[in-house]
Amino acid sequence: MKTTRLRQHAGILALAMTSLMLAQAQAAQEGQALLESKCVGCHIPEGGDAISRISHQRKTPEGWLMSIARMQLMHGLNIADDERRTLVKYLADKQGLAPDETEGVRYAMERRLNTVETFDEQLSQTCGRCHSGARVALQRRPAKEWEHLVHFHLGQWPSLEYQAQARDRDWLDLALAEMVPELAKRYPLDSQAWSEWQKARPEAKVLLGQWAFSGHMLAKGDVRGVMTVSADTGDTFKVEVNGQYADGTPFVGGGSAILYNGYEWRGNVKIGDTRMRQVFAALNGEMKGRMFDAEHDERGLDFSAAQQGQARLLAVQPAYVRAGSEVELTLVGSGLQGSAQLGAGLEVVKVLEATPTQVRLRVKAAATAAPGRRSVVLGDLGGVDLAVYKDIAEVKVVPAFSIARVGENGGSTPKVQGRFEAEAWGRDDEGQPYRIGYLPAKWSVQPFDERAREDEDVKFAGQMQKDGVFVPGAAGPNPQRKMMTNNAGNLKVIAELEEGGQKGEGQLIVTVQRWNNPPLP
């Protein structure tokens, strides 16, 4: 009877995979037809299936979505929403980026808007004055296309030459003579990475099944559980999420997802009453990226998952233990089995639960356990660290620099919160610093400088909550402020650890609404 059930399950899975592959082939045909019917009116056929401008670019799904939306807004392209989705899918599959080409700049797709970029001065001054450098780094063009892009910018925004960091130099000549060759060299249309990825790109069917996941949301804490992926109609997946936060709060819901270019996972799920988006890189039996509130992308969690059948250790939660204490630790992963080895001075008192996706342990740390980070081993699996500490040497506010935005007050633009955690650091026996992890803290704000003190920014900019979430003030002029200015402010964020009382500081800029909020900032 068991054999019969296994055969039935295998048959259902094979049918789902076949249906998925047929849907993908049909979507590709529909995409090519839409390209010819919607784009050829302005873009000139160049032979084969090549079309002027379009065929000489490669972008992420978000990049292609922005291009098509611009054609709608500025050039009158008439395209229905479902047609636009089909065309984005087709272009992102055919002319996307290889995984190696998105490395280091995925934060733009994942909506990590507090990221401080580290591009060179040339790119930062030429391109990064108006948008992120990551938007540039997430596209590929030959030199002629980069030149077209410079002229497009100048034609679309004629005042560009007179903006900051452009008035004191011959901006256009510098952009054409220096920046275009550099961009063509740094971000070329043809690359070995893209050529190799096209050959090795896996089928979407490999993602079907269960995924053990772990994550962390600022101001909320660790989360873990299982995500189930099943085939849906068309070129989408059904997604079911069953997990919980470390404090026991459920993390349960479901929705749908689509895969672009063999690894770019984009999901829309509802967790409880919150609609969340998933932006993951799905590669080699792992998914990594970020989930965030669809209405408040500052409310997001880091996400890492391993597929059933892949034996991997993803995380230990919490990732720290104090010497001389007894705590409960949870090992999260897929295919978990065997005994846990936590290093000298740490004893597993009791195994509270052991499943293929999580192992809960009662652990006692000796008072003499050496401070520092050590590798955690479960059976044959490793790859995660546990911090042991005696004293806290330093506290860092994470993020160290953040932006919040006023909003609402009868308007349609929501407030953008600031969200913070206190990151404790210690020193090992050799005096080397090491990260302990996020510890509970008391939160407050102060004026960042004398100007902020004079303008009473603490009074007007918003309120810091007990959980490290800063809620900004209302939008619009404030009659109570000097010259009726808005509720902007420059604040110092202070974390005081509940354990030990050590303090750390960060900076929060409270500013006005973002009226133009594209998929790639």
Side-chain angles (χ1 to χ4, degrees):
M1 193 166 182
K2 182 177 180 181
T3 302
T4 302
R5 285 198 300 268
L6 288 173
R7 287 175 178 170
Q8 290 174 339
H9 177 73
I12 293 172
L13 184 61
L15 184 63
M17 290 180 175
T18 301
S19 176
L20 190 62
M21 293 174 68
L22 290 173
Q24 288 173 330
Q26 182 180 354
Q29 293 175 355
E30 293 174 355
Q32 178 63 31
L34 280 171
L35 193 66
E36 295 171 356
S37 65
K38 297 292 183 179
C39 306
V40 168
C42 297
H43 295 271
I44 302 170
E46 297 179 332
D49 60 356
I51 300 175
S52 65
R53 303 299 308 276
I54 298 174
S55 298
H56 304 287
Q57 302 176 31
R58 292 193 286 117
K59 301 179 183 179
T60 63
E62 290 80 6
W64 285 116
L65 175 61
M66 290 170 65
S67 294
I68 296 171
R70 189 173 68 250
M71 297 301 110
Q72 291 180 269
L73 291 172
M74 297 181 178
H75 301 287
L77 173 63
N78 183 16
I79 187 170
D81 288 349
D82 59 339
E83 292 176 326
R84 184 171 64 182
R85 282 190 290 268
T86 299
L87 194 52
V88 169
K89 165 68 175 168
Y90 174 73
L91 290 169
D93 283 351
K94 185 182 179 185
Q95 297 167 221
L97 299 184
D100 289 349
E101 293 177 317
T102 68
E103 192 69 30
V105 285
R106 297 192 63 83
Y107 57 83
M109 295 183 283
E110 296 169 355
R111 309 296 294 173
R112 300 179 187 269
L113 300 185
N114 288 319
T115 301
V116 178
E117 294 188 314
T118 56
F119 286 95
D120 58 275
E121 186 176 358
Q122 184 184 36
L123 190 146
S124 297
Q125 290 191 3
T126 309
C127 307
R129 294 176 291 122
C130 301
H131 53 68
S132 69
R135 189 195 291 192
V136 180
L138 287 171
Q139 53 185 298
R140 298 295 185 271
R141 303 166 184 257
K144 195 65 179 177
E145 263 304 316
W146 285 115
E147 181 181 323
H148 286 328
L149 188 63
V150 172
H151 289 299
F152 158 75
H153 276 72
L154 196 57
Q156 193 67 57
W157 297 282
S159 65
L160 189 66
E161 285 189 282
Y162 306 105
Q163 294 179 11
Q165 294 182 326
R167 282 175 272 186
D168 62 340
R169 66 200 71 186
D170 193 338
W171 181 88
L172 181 58
D173 280 353
L174 290 172
L176 293 174
E178 296 183 11
M179 203 66 214
V180 165
E182 177 61 26
L183 290 173
K185 178 182 177 182
R186 196 182 304 186
Y187 308 122
L189 179 67
D190 299 316
S191 72
Q192 183 177 351
W194 176 240
S195 178
E196 292 176 352
W197 174 249
Q198 288 179 293
K199 298 174 184 176
R201 183 165 54 196
E203 296 287 344
K205 63 185 180 182
V206 302
L207 300 181
L208 300 177
Q210 290 190 323
W211 296 75
F213 69 84
S214 70
H216 185 90
M217 178 181 283
L218 286 180
K220 180 61 179 177
D222 292 333
V223 64
R224 55 183 176 265
V226 174
M227 183 174 75
T228 303
V229 177
S230 57
D232 199 359
T233 56
D235 194 29
T236 61
F237 301 99
K238 292 179 181 178
V239 180
E240 295 180 7
V241 180
N242 187 8
Q244 65 178 32
Y245 286 98
D247 65 3
T249 304
F251 190 81
V252 177
S256 63
I258 187 169
L259 189 72
Y260 297 98
N261 189 20
Y263 76 104
E264 289 287 7
W265 174 279
R266 301 293 184 270
N268 288 285
V269 299
K270 191 172 183 181
I271 303 296
D273 295 326
T274 303
R275 291 189 305 111
M276 300 191 77
R277 293 178 181 158
Q278 298 176 322
V279 180
F280 305 151
L283 290 163
N284 304 319
E286 290 189 336
M287 287 194 194
K288 291 184 178 181
R290 188 168 182 259
M291 287 181 67
F292 53 89
D293 188 324
E295 301 298 326
H296 291 271
D297 49 29
E298 74 273 20
R299 303 176 188 170
L301 60 95
D302 295 324
F303 184 97
S304 179
Q307 192 172 20
Q308 186 180 39
Q310 301 279 341
R312 296 193 181 169
L313 187 57
L314 292 173
V316 54
Q317 300 177 351
Y320 56 83
V321 58
R322 182 165 190 165
S325 68
E326 188 171 317
V327 298
E328 181 180 315
L329 301 179
T330 301
L331 306 183
V332 184
S334 179
L336 303 183
Q337 60 180 348
S339 59
Q341 304 295 325
L342 307 178
L346 268 62
E347 175 190 359
V348 177
V349 178
K350 185 177 181 180
V351 177
L352 303 174
E353 178 187 11
T355 73
T357 58
Q358 68 176 34
V359 176
R360 292 194 300 119
L361 307 170
R362 193 71 190 174
V363 175
K364 184 176 182 179
T368 56
R373 300 185 67 84
R374 73 264 307 279
S375 298
V376 174
V377 176
L378 181 69
D380 296 328
L381 302 179
V384 301
D385 289 342
L386 178 68
V388 177
Y389 72 100
K390 295 179 180 178
D391 301 301
I392 296 166
E394 183 184 4
V395 179
K396 299 181 181 180
V397 170
V398 176
F401 177 83
S402 182
I403 293 177
R405 297 180 183 274
V406 299
E408 298 169 5
N409 195 23
S412 59
T413 306
K415 298 178 180 181
V416 176
Q417 302 172 348
R419 302 177 75 85
F420 302 93
E421 288 212 51
E423 185 179 74
W425 284 69
R427 290 190 178 276
D428 61 23
D429 289 337
E430 296 180 355
Q432 296 300 312
Y434 68 97
R435 182 183 182 275
I436 297 171
Y438 297 128
L439 295 182
K442 298 176 183 178
W443 293 94
S444 61
V445 292
Q446 293 181 2
F448 186 79
D449 54 23
E450 190 57 36
R451 178 62 182 271
R453 190 181 308 279
E454 292 176 2
D455 291 343
E456 298 183 281
D457 287 354
V458 171
K459 178 180 178 181
F460 295 110
Q463 296 292 323
M464 175 64 81
Q465 299 180 159
K466 293 181 179 180
D467 58 358
V469 175
F470 182 89
V471 181
N478 186 343
Q480 298 181 40
R481 299 203 76 172
K482 187 189 307 182
M483 300 182 68
M484 292 184 62
T485 58
N486 58 36
N487 289 317
N490 187 4
L491 303 176
K492 184 184 298 181
V493 178
I494 300 173
E496 180 181 352
L497 289 188
E498 294 180 2
E499 176 189 326
Q502 295 91 339
K503 292 183 179 181
E505 296 181 357
Q507 183 179 9
L508 171 65
I509 299 292
V510 182
T511 187
V512 297
Q513 302 101 308
R514 180 190 291 271
W515 300 112
N516 182 13
N517 197 23
L520 293 177

